[in-house]
């Protein structure tokens, strides 16, 4: 099989933009390996209002829908498969696939993003998918007209609490500190929403239920006072972990430098510590974790990859 000019791992905003710029910029043989449908984690968002030029009331899914089509037009190939590992032998990268196959590439742009973190309370593991959810767009409708609890104090928790407040009769927003991490404008909207009750300085202790699913949650405050809230649904939005597993080598080391949180160390050109390997979007150090910055990273890395491959082959 022909050696790829560039292998892109991950088809979120970062990977898709890298795909657009590499193909449109002249690299002939580019494959984007994405384990699911392209679009990335923003497709779980009910509303996006900070992508430049987008003024309407649109969901993350609406925003991302045209991106793969645009890339395809310039020759980007999407292979729907999970990548298990990326290695480098000499000056060629090997992309190891879930089914045991491999592909070789001159350059790699990795943008595998991040995944929802577990909050770590009793019953979380047992009831995930049975009343505990990390996606309001996906599961909010199941709780139409009912009360739900949202855990977290960042942008995701507050935005999704606002979304759920439109569907559910009441939303309890539980945050472990007395200050939210979210944008001030979002905090204001939450405070002004009648059917959101804000519960500060409190964290989940236990989610309980029966074989039909969740029936309630016990939360505990800073004075160890426990409050029992009877709800059929609990949404946790407590941050994300970097998806860096494909960079782990057989001896447990990382293919390139990562920081203590596992984010990939890059320079302003998205170059990692390994020649020909670029990291983009949420998984790189100091990422603002925004669609617009992920897309920007993808463009920057693609232009660097084009230059790198050109220099290598010509
Ligand atoms: P991701 O979007 O995470 O995409 C990574 C892709 O890689 C995924 O499609 C995944 O399937 C794929 N992948 C992972 N591992 C593998 C593997 N081993 N093999 C193959 N494929 C793999 N940002 C904003 O700017 N505005 C907002 O309003 C906003 N709202 C948000 C709301 C929610 C609920 C969430 C969760 C995030 C929100 N964000 C928002 C943040 C934004 O979604 C991210 O910053 C952005 O999606 C990051 O893009 P990415 O391409 O780096 O990674
Ligand atoms: P985040 O900013 O990391 O916030 C996570 C929240 O969960 C924090 O409030 C944290 O509390 C709380 N938390 C963490 N662990 C917990 C636990 N075990 N139990 C209870 N609470 C816990 O994550 P996020 O909200 O998902 O946002 C991720 C990134 O995406 C951010 O950079 C965010 O700005 C971005 N994003 C942007 C938008 C937007 O621009 N509109 C929308 C969504 C997300 P503490 O505050 O005490 O740490």
């Amino acid at each position: 099989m022909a050696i790829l000019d560039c292998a892109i791992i991950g088809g979120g905003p970062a990977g898709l933009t890298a795909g657009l710029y590499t193909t449109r910029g002249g690299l002939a043989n580019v494959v984007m390996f994405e384990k699911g449908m392209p679009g990335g984690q923003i497709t779980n968002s009910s509303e996006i209002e900070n992508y430049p030029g987008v003024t309407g009331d649109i969901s993350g899914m609406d925003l991302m829908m045209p991106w793969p089509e645009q890339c395809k037009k310039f020759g980007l190939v999407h292979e729907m498969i999970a990548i298990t590992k990326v290695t480098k032998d000499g000056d060629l990268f090997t992309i190891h696939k879930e089914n045991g196959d491999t592909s070789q590439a001159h350059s790699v742009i990795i943008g595998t993003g991040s995944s929802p973190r577990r909050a770590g309370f009793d019953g979380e593991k047992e009831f995930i998918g049975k009343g505990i959810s990390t996606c309001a767009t996906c599961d909010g409708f199941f709780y139409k007209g009912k009360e739900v609890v949202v855990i977290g104090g960042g942008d995701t928790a507050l935005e999704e609490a606002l979304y759920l407040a439109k569907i559910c009769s009441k939303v309890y927003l539980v945050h472990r500190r007395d200050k939210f991490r979210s944008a001030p404008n979002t905090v204001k909207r939450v405070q002004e929403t009648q059917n959101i009750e804000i519960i500060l300085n409190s964290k989940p202790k236990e989610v309980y239920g029966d074989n039909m699913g969740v029936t309630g949650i016990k939360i505990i405050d800073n004075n160890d006072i426990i409050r029992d809230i009877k709800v059929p649904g609990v949404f946790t939005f407590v941050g994300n972990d970097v998806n860096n597993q494909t960079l782990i080598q057989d001896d447990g080391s990382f293919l390139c430098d990562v920081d203590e949180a596992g984010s990939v160390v890059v320079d302003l050109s998205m170059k990692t510590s390994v020649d020909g390997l670029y990291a983009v979007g949420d998984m790189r150090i100091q990422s603002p974790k925004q669609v617009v910055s992920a897309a920007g990273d993808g463009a920057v890395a693609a232009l660097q990859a084009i230059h790198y491959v050109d220099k290598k082959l010509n």
Side-chain angles (χ1 to χ4, degrees), residues 9-16 33-51 81-84 111-115 134-137 155-156 159-160 237 240 243 245-246 280-283 287-295:
I9 326 278
L16 282 163
F33 299 95
E34 162 57 59
K35 64 182 175 184
M37 293 304 291
Q41 53 178 298
I42 192 64
T43 56
N44 289 327
S45 172
S46 43
E47 187 188 358
I48 176 155
E49 57 177 21
N50 58 2
Y51 195 80
I81 194 152
I83 300 308
T84 52
T112 42
S114 53
S115 301
T134 56
C135 177
T137 326
D155 280 315
T156 305
E159 287 182 8
E160 298 312 297
F237 303 109
N240 295 287
N243 295 328
Q245 299 84 345
T246 53
V280 290
D282 277 15
M283 73 173 324
S287 168
K289 296 195 172 67
Q290 294 288 292
V291 175
V292 69
S293 54

Side-chain angles (χ1 to χ4, degrees), residues 50 117-120 151-157 159 174-177 179-181 203-204 237-240 282 287-290:
N50 58 2
R117 194 175 290 152
R118 297 271 181 269
I151 312 289
D155 280 315
T156 305
E159 287 182 8
V174 178
H175 178 39
R176 64 183 179 184
R177 287 190 297 131
K179 273 204 178 63
F180 289 115
R181 208 175 261 279
K203 56 184 187 219
F237 303 109
V238 295
N240 295 287
D282 277 15
S287 168
K289 296 195 172 67
Q290 294 288 292

